[in-house]
Amino acid sequence: MANTATFRIRRVKCRDEMGGSFREKFGNDEIRCAVFSADLRGSTKNSGRVHIYDDFDDGDVKTFNPPKEVVTLDLAGATSEVELGFSVVLIESQLREGDGLKKAFEAFVKIYEESLKDKLGKAQMTVARARAVAQPGYLSRPDAGRYAAKRRPTTGVGRPSVVGRPTLMDAGDTAASAAHQEGDVATLEADTTKPVGETVGDAFIGALITAVALYSVKFAGAAIGALIDWSKDKFFAPVAIKVKIDASTAPGNVPANAFGTAEFRGHDGIYEMDWDIIVR
């Protein structure tokens, strides 16, 4: 069984250098990239600035052998098929890099967190509670504890009274405590509708896939574009990559269908990237 999944770059090809025919005569593209994602415990991941090649011209190809490992995700004990998502940003680096990449990642994190809060809110679970439950094996343990939102009768002081606590096996005292934090929100109590691990795992995966897709759409608009200092690094609109992998794949292998080619267009340039995902 695999514990992690790593996004790798196999090859980057310049199909058309940036800047049109006039600019192409005087200099080649210095290309970097960045990959944003989140693992199956809900932690956002940022590859940072990844060096690709400093002298791209039309038709040039940079091949990585072995493939360049960019960002690694924790599979959180998954034993079957899981869905992963990545926002891949191509960057034409300038002499002054600025803080555009930092702002781009912050924008991704904001979209992801908003999506996660929305999905957990439907189960009346806070982000903090969900992450407290996300201990090793939470996606694969059917006996990790079951609970659903349900308001208990209140005491005289107007707060839910805790008359018992469900068993959160292997989830730890922190998780149990977080799940029964007193307040005006509903108290989570035992239920047989769905394992808590599945509820948390579904929320993390769903939020990630939503964020990857939404980020790619919003990046082209003022909501994110306004955050980037375009006079420094030049950012191509991010490409959303979504892939389902089999976590039971033997470590050291690329699962079936865990590979592809992403195309980037912007600033009068066209690039393509061959990628894959290896599990370990």
Side-chain angles (χ1 to χ4, degrees):
M1 182 184 73
N3 295 311
T4 63
T6 299
F7 184 93
R8 307 191 304 180
I9 300 171
R10 303 187 65 90
R11 184 192 73 134
V12 175
K13 179 179 180 179
C14 174
R15 285 169 42 194
D16 186 7
E17 189 182 347
M18 293 170 53
S21 58
F22 179 79
R23 182 184 182 278
E24 290 179 20
K25 295 178 181 179
F26 297 97
N28 295 346
D29 295 344
E30 299 178 9
I31 297 298
R32 310 288 186 268
C33 83
V35 178
F36 308 149
S37 187
D39 66 21
L40 299 191
R41 300 188 194 285
S43 299
T44 53
K45 300 294 181 179
N46 174 11
S47 69
R49 191 179 301 269
V50 179
H51 180 267
I52 302 297
Y53 185 57
D54 286 336
D55 202 27
F56 272 114
D57 202 349
D58 289 354
D60 285 351
V61 177
K62 173 63 178 179
T63 300
F64 294 100
N65 188 17
K68 193 175 190 70
E69 300 189 3
V70 177
V71 66
T72 296
L73 306 183
D74 187 338
L75 294 179
T79 58
S80 57
E81 187 178 73
V82 295
E83 192 166 10
L84 304 177
F86 305 87
S87 282
V88 185
V89 182
L90 208 65
I91 308 164
E92 206 274 327
S93 186
Q94 303 295 297
L95 292 177
R96 296 179 59 216
E97 293 179 346
D99 61 354
L101 180 58
K102 178 176 180 290
K103 291 180 179 179
F105 180 58
E106 289 172 349
F108 172 81
V109 171
K110 181 178 180 180
I111 293 173
Y112 170 74
E113 292 288 347
E114 289 174 350
S115 177
L116 182 57
K117 288 177 182 177
D118 175 67
K119 294 184 182 304
L120 289 172
K122 295 174 183 177
Q124 297 189 26
M125 187 187 306
T126 67
V127 175
R129 290 175 182 175
R131 284 177 173 149
V133 172
Q135 298 297 311
Y138 82 89
L139 280 176
S140 60
R141 289 294 301 274
D143 59 347
R146 301 168 184 265
Y147 60 79
K150 183 177 180 180
R151 188 172 295 282
R152 294 178 180 275
T154 58
T155 64
V157 296
R159 292 191 179 278
S161 60
V162 178
V163 297
R165 54 192 294 160
T167 300
L168 298 178
M169 300 180 65
D170 294 332
D173 292 338
T174 301
S177 175
H180 289 275
Q181 177 181 337
E182 291 189 2
D184 294 327
V185 298
T187 298
L188 300 174
E189 68 172 17
D191 187 60
T192 58
T193 56
K194 198 169 190 181
V196 60
E198 288 186 17
T199 300
V200 173
D202 289 349
F204 286 157
I205 293 172
L208 172 59
I209 299 305
T210 298
V212 164
L214 194 58
Y215 183 69
S216 297
V217 172
K218 285 190 173 183
F219 193 98
I224 292 179
L227 297 175
I228 309 302
D229 186 350
W230 295 100
S231 66
K232 298 172 184 175
D233 287 339
K234 291 183 172 63
F235 286 70
F236 287 71
V239 171
I241 293 177
K242 296 177 288 183
V243 59
K244 291 183 179 180
I245 69 166
D246 185 355
S248 68
T249 302
N253 291 283
V254 175
N257 302 316
F259 54 87
T261 300
E263 182 182 88
F264 300 85
R265 291 176 176 264
H267 311 286
D268 293 318
I270 306 174
Y271 280 82
E272 62 184 31
M273 175 189 293
D274 293 345
W275 57 271
D276 69 15
I277 296 172
I278 188 171
V279 297
R280 292 190 174 94

